[in-house]
Amino acid sequence: MNSHDWESVIQRHLDGAALPEEVAGLSEQLESDADTRMLYIQMARIHATLAADDLDESDSDSFLRESTVFITKRPATLARWRLAVAALAVVALIAGVYFLRPSGEPEIATITELDGSVQWTGDGGQVTVDLEPGQRLHGGTLESLSVNSSAGLQFRDGSTVTVSGVSLLTISARDQKEFYLRHGNLSATVAPQPTGKPLIVHTPAAELEVLGTQFDVTADSSQTKVTVNEGRVRVERLTDGRVVEVPAAHQTVASIEVQQEFVVTALEKPTNSWKANLANEADEGRWISAMRALRLEVGRAVDNGEMTADEARQEFLARAANLREDEGSLHAAPVRSGRGARRDVSYMASLLVSREQSGPVVLAKGNKFRVRGRVRSPAGVTIGFSALDADRASGGRYLTRKRLEGEFDIELPLDAFQLLGDRSGATSPLGRELIHWWCSTDSREAVLEITSVRLLEPE
Amino acid sequence: MSTDNDHERFTRLLIQYEPELLRCVLVAVPNRADARDILQECSVALWRRFSEYDSERPFANWAMGFVRMEVRRFLRKSQRRAQLTERAAELLLQDEEQHAAELDERERYLKNCLDALSGDQRELLDGYYHKEHSVSELSQRNGRSVEAVYKMLQRIRLALHQCIESQMRGAEA
């Protein structure tokens, strides 16, 4: 790339519009080349000066006014939106490859289980929302659309795959199995594969080669976590081509940033308790730190003429100094719910338990969930979790409903939860691994906030 | 124990140096909302340690150490998103400090260059940077595609960069 190309990447990065791979490449270039750093600083200072908005009014007409940095309302960020567009473009590209292939391909997998909102895109781009267990699939893209949805597939060789939470998985219909997990969670039990034709799993940050094993993958645009329960998986970090082999009862995290550690670690022993890290484990919902909430509060007071900007700063500092860094709440965000073509909306806060844990959280007799939070108006709330058996072949979603009002602090024993759907086999969550936890309401007015979630040790 | 006097002195210093600190944060973390959050955390850290501040030393220099620390912490926490690496951000902040005099000069030229923009260009910058409209909102208001708005913003910043370069060369000649 020449300086013109870097200028273009720098500009996209300034607007939050660069792809993670582009930002990784830019970082590498900035680390090694002083000229690119100078170009970056010059461009970024223009952006920074305009954004910091501190030029004198007299010098630049009315459009650059006094700084309002300290007490401002946070505007919607562009970065996520742009990333979403980029992700859709990637999806469209991948989907396009499959849609353009000739029809008449063999069916390669059968749906074995379905929960919640799931759709399939295949056969020339045809989208199917009314999926049913037993339905056979050609190559295409499976989307699990909400945190409490999941789909199980069985392949002709007996291998099984479960996709859960908000996930996007493209499946190739060639004789060698290839999966493209763009984001989300995949658990697979893979039958021994033919020599020289391992199952390949592509993710944005890593490529996995599997001969026959049981493993879980969680991927997003910049990192992939691989946990191997049985067998062995070869993981290549795409940014630098480094490879590690992950044996049973071990895990690794491959980041697109080469500075991040890329090592194999042993899984910790299962525990029967969990304290949610709301900021880092949030899957649906918006984390707002207590400090930011305070800033908004004093900002509103300034807007309403209840205090001056100087008084607001003093108030902010006096109160913020006593706040803990991890203090805050997870605000429920709108998500699509309902099966098939229904387009219901609910407001959900959810947590992906495995994101921060280095060992499984296994549910035991006597466990209770303790949930704290608040609702602005009384509302019916659904609290649920998903849990899987150790072999990942079976599991379920468990729900309970409560009517909540104002500030709440509730304890929910596991037997308060009902297994969703009519299932054969084991129905108890005991002994199963906690995967997702969520809380949702259909009431927009409720403005549901979660401030703490814990799985209390069995008494 | 901090006194009211300390509180007032600290607030005054913070108000005075806030734009300069924010500009530094925005170089490493261009997203404005993230940069403000970093500065918020930084201001609280500065206040907690204000009793250690030696008033004989420039406040901005003392505060920059905290800015670097908070930027590093933010980048570490948000490693899942498209952010610069900690190393790249650190080098940028170092270079920025090293070239402070030149960058101040460039900023003075930026003011002249802004005056040379067309009405449409100024309106777009006003909407994006001052009114903080999203690109999607701006595209609806202007009847242009989102991509076209991004391109326009990038072209305007490039034009400002080229204008500054030309003024710098003129000053040297």
Side-chain angles (χ1 to χ4, degrees):
Chain A
M1 267 206 224
N2 57 32
S3 64
H4 172 75
D5 296 327
W6 285 121
E7 181 267 314
S8 170
V9 176
I10 291 166
Q11 291 252 36
R12 284 201 296 281
H13 175 57
L14 295 177
D15 288 325
L19 295 168
E21 305 87 272
E22 289 181 313
V23 180
L26 176 61
S27 288
E28 211 171 302
Q29 178 71 9
L30 291 172
E31 285 176 24
S32 61
D33 185 62
D35 289 343
T36 313
R37 280 205 298 279
M38 202 55 209
L39 174 67
Y40 179 101
I41 291 170
Q42 289 167 359
M43 297 303 303
R45 282 289 286 236
I46 294 171
H47 166 79
T49 304
L50 294 169
D53 206 7
D54 65 333
L55 294 178
D56 292 338
E57 222 174 296
S58 55
D59 285 339
S60 54
D61 287 339
S62 60
F63 83 94
L64 294 166
R65 298 183 203 146
E66 187 190 350
S67 167
T68 52
V69 167
F70 195 79
I71 306 294
T72 50
K73 288 176 188 155
R74 184 177 174 138
T77 58
L78 304 173
R80 282 188 187 172
W81 186 90
R82 294 289 297 165
L83 279 174
V85 170
L88 282 173
V90 172
V91 173
L93 187 67
I94 294 165
V97 170
Y98 291 99
F99 299 160
L100 292 173
R101 290 178 312 166
S103 58
E105 286 168 347
E107 292 157 351
I108 56 167
T110 305
I111 298 175
T112 52
E113 277 190 50
L114 274 175
D115 261 333
S117 190
V118 176
Q119 72 180 31
W120 173 259
T121 307
D123 286 347
Q126 189 180 339
V127 178
T128 311
V129 292
D130 294 316
L131 295 167
E132 293 296 338
Q135 196 165 334
R136 293 183 177 182
L137 304 171
H138 304 273
T141 297
L142 183 71
E143 284 179 87
S144 170
L145 295 166
S146 69
V147 68
N148 56 0
S149 57
S150 66
L153 302 179
Q154 182 162 40
F155 290 79
R156 283 181 297 176
D157 66 357
S159 299
T160 57
V161 163
T162 303
V163 174
S164 60
V166 180
S167 300
L168 185 91
L169 176 73
T170 299
I171 302 166
S172 159
R174 284 177 253 174
D175 59 342
Q176 181 177 11
K177 284 192 199 64
E178 275 191 79
F179 298 158
Y180 294 79
L181 180 67
R182 287 295 133 191
H183 60 81
N185 317 293
L186 176 152
S187 288
T189 302
V190 180
Q193 298 297 294
T195 310
K197 288 187 175 176
L199 161 70
I200 308 286
V201 183
H202 305 269
T203 71
E207 190 173 292
L208 284 61
E209 204 177 289
V210 182
L211 283 167
T213 182
Q214 202 291 309
F215 65 99
D216 306 323
V217 190
T218 299
D220 62 27
S221 58
S222 62
Q223 72 173 30
T224 296
K225 181 177 177 183
V226 182
T227 304
V228 178
N229 303 304
E230 281 174 29
R232 186 175 282 267
V233 175
R234 182 181 179 274
V235 180
E236 178 182 348
R237 179 161 73 176
L238 294 176
T239 319
D240 59 0
R242 274 187 58 206
V243 172
V244 294
E245 290 221 346
V246 188
H250 284 70
Q251 64 183 10
T252 191
V253 177
S255 165
I256 58 169
E257 288 195 45
V258 288
Q259 287 73 19
Q260 299 295 325
E261 275 197 325
F262 181 42
V263 292
V264 177
T265 53
L267 287 180
E268 282 183 12
K269 285 185 181 157
T271 63
N272 301 124
S273 62
W274 164 62
K275 183 183 179 200
N277 179 331
L278 298 180
N280 293 341
E281 291 177 332
D283 212 27
E284 295 283 359
R286 205 154 59 98
W287 161 255
I288 296 186
S289 69
M291 209 175 282
R292 206 173 125 209
L294 175 60
R295 191 182 78 197
L296 294 172
E297 183 191 324
V298 294
R300 270 195 297 272
V302 173
D303 286 350
N304 297 338
E306 292 157 15
M307 57 173 81
T308 64
D310 278 0
E311 286 166 347
R313 283 167 209 270
Q314 304 237 10
E315 170 85 6
F316 175 84
L317 288 168
R319 288 168 59 188
N322 300 319
L323 294 174
R324 282 195 332 272
E325 202 180 295
D326 62 350
E327 219 169 314
S329 56
L330 185 62
H331 292 237
V335 294
R336 205 188 104 180
S337 58
R339 180 96 180 265
R342 280 169 54 199
R343 293 288 188 274
D344 300 336
V345 171
S346 63
Y347 298 83
M348 176 174 284
S350 76
L351 301 159
L352 178 59
V353 180
S354 60
R355 189 170 278 157
E356 287 286 300
Q357 301 294 311
S358 46
V361 178
V362 175
L363 299 168
K365 191 171 167 51
N367 268 147
K368 283 179 190 169
F369 283 101
R370 182 175 180 190
V371 185
R372 285 189 278 181
R374 61 185 75 91
V375 282
R376 196 175 287 170
S377 59
V381 167
T382 301
I383 298 165
F385 64 88
S386 64
L388 287 176
D389 281 337
D391 64 2
R392 298 298 196 269
S394 52
R397 294 188 297 157
Y398 299 82
L399 302 178
T400 189
R401 290 192 172 79
K402 297 286 281 184
R403 186 151 183 88
L404 299 174
E405 196 174 338
E407 300 263 345
F408 58 86
D409 181 350
I410 51 173
E411 286 192 6
L412 300 162
L414 291 185
D415 57 18
F417 291 84
Q418 302 278 316
L419 179 68
L420 191 71
D422 183 19
R423 306 277 183 139
S424 55
T427 56
S428 165
L430 300 183
R432 287 182 165 170
E433 183 184 340
L434 180 63
I435 306 293
H436 266 111
W437 179 95
W438 66 87
C439 184
S440 70
T441 175
D442 294 339
S443 162
R444 187 171 188 272
E445 292 70 34
V447 192
L448 172 66
E449 275 178 62
I450 301 297
T451 53
S452 165
V453 182
R454 299 182 77 143
L455 180 69
L456 303 176
E457 292 264 15
E459 284 168 357
Chain B
M1 199 67 184
S2 305
T3 63
D4 287 350
N5 198 22
D6 277 349
H7 214 156
E8 203 180 312
R9 196 159 63 96
F10 174 75
T11 307
R12 254 189 289 115
L13 284 166
L14 191 65
I15 293 169
Q16 186 181 344
Y17 290 101
E18 199 174 73
E20 187 177 332
L21 299 177
L22 182 68
R23 277 199 303 271
C24 291
V25 177
L26 279 161
V27 166
V29 181
N31 180 289
R32 286 167 277 172
D34 288 339
R36 285 192 194 104
D37 281 350
I38 291 169
L39 200 55
Q40 294 284 290
E41 307 250 341
C42 186
S43 63
V44 175
L46 286 166
W47 169 239
R48 281 178 179 150
R49 304 284 291 274
F50 191 56
S51 59
E52 297 165 23
Y53 167 59
D54 173 2
S55 55
E56 299 294 310
R57 290 178 57 206
F59 181 79
N61 291 4
W62 180 67
M64 268 309 291
F66 289 80
V67 165
R68 282 208 191 92
M69 203 167 63
E70 291 299 334
V71 165
R72 267 203 305 271
R73 214 143 63 118
F74 171 84
L75 291 174
R76 208 169 298 145
K77 271 197 313 195
S78 60
Q79 57 186 262
R80 292 188 191 99
R81 295 161 52 187
Q83 301 284 3
L84 295 179
T85 57
E86 282 177 59
R87 175 80 185 133
E90 183 64 35
L91 288 170
L92 287 171
L93 292 174
Q94 274 173 21
D95 284 7
E96 202 183 6
E97 203 167 355
Q98 200 183 328
H99 296 284
E102 185 200 321
L103 292 168
D104 286 348
E105 196 184 344
R106 297 181 76 90
E107 204 159 289
R108 282 195 294 278
Y109 289 126
L110 172 61
K111 294 181 186 183
N112 301 336
C113 293
L114 282 166
D115 288 336
L117 294 178
S118 71
D120 281 355
Q121 290 174 319
R122 294 163 70 93
E123 201 178 313
L124 186 65
L125 288 187
D126 185 33
Y128 186 58
Y129 283 109
H130 183 218
K131 297 193 176 108
E132 302 206 16
H133 293 314
S134 68
V135 169
S136 158
E137 278 176 304
L138 290 169
S139 88
Q140 282 167 11
R141 282 163 191 262
N142 299 338
R144 293 188 168 96
S145 70
V146 166
E147 212 47 50
V149 174
Y150 272 114
K151 285 255 162 60
M152 278 181 73
L153 285 167
Q154 289 166 10
R155 273 201 295 269
I156 295 169
R157 283 194 302 252
L158 184 60
L160 289 170
H161 175 64
Q162 286 164 345
C163 168
I164 292 167
E165 290 287 302
S166 136
Q167 297 218 9
M168 297 277 285
R169 279 197 299 273
E172 281 167 15

